[in-house]
Amino acid sequence: QVQLVESGGGLVQPGGSLRLSCAASGSSFWIYSMAWYRQAPGKQRELVAGITSGYITNYANSVKGRFTISRDNGKKTVYLQMNSLNPEDTAVYYCNAHLAIQDTSGQYNYWGQGTQVTVSS
């Protein structure tokens, strides 16, 4: 019913920047909140940043001051601007949306497929 399409991942040098995007599409829905998670090999998935429908944001301590999450409600898209990247940021980044779907009950969590971010010289 809803698909999340991510883009923007890739290889970047330490100190560089990347901008991830995640666009939601499909049936009529309303997104309550969106977030970015990341998972490094052998480690648990962790929350990187989140943003509510009212544009309230929260960040993991490890990315505060370097990453910025934003959203465009008209485009149903969430972004993650990543600056001053370092090797510890290397992970698969996943987009998440908490939403309601028209003519259905309850709320749903949808995930993107994940996009690889590699920070290396």
Side-chain angles (χ1 to χ4, degrees):
Q1 292 179 293
V2 178
Q3 299 81 43
L4 302 181
V5 180
E6 300 169 321
S7 62
L11 175 65
V12 66
Q13 302 296 307
S17 298
L18 284 174
R19 192 190 194 203
L20 306 182
S21 64
C22 174
S25 63
S27 57
S28 297
F29 56 91
W30 172 256
I31 303 175
Y32 294 116
S33 62
M34 303 186 79
W36 289 96
Y37 291 74
R38 68 185 182 188
Q39 186 171 23
K43 296 184 178 180
Q44 296 295 311
R45 188 175 299 184
E46 64 174 347
L47 176 67
V48 177
I51 185 167
T52 71
S53 60
Y55 302 99
I56 299 173
T57 61
N58 66 289
Y59 298 91
N61 288 334
S62 59
V63 306
K64 287 181 179 178
R66 299 188 298 119
F67 291 9
T68 302
I69 189 170
S70 61
R71 65 187 289 174
D72 184 328
N73 288 337
K75 295 182 178 180
K76 298 180 179 178
T77 299
V78 64
Y79 306 92
L80 185 67
Q81 178 66 47
M82 303 184 293
N83 299 327
S84 301
L85 286 163
N86 55 61
E88 71 180 14
D89 296 316
T90 296
V92 177
Y93 284 70
Y94 297 91
C95 174
N96 171 264
H98 181 210
L99 50 81
I101 300 174
Q102 184 175 284
D103 297 325
T104 70
S105 61
Q107 300 174 0
Y108 305 85
N109 277 314
Y110 278 83
W111 293 88
Q113 79 287 350
T115 183
Q116 178 71 47
V117 172
T118 302
V119 185
S120 176
S121 60

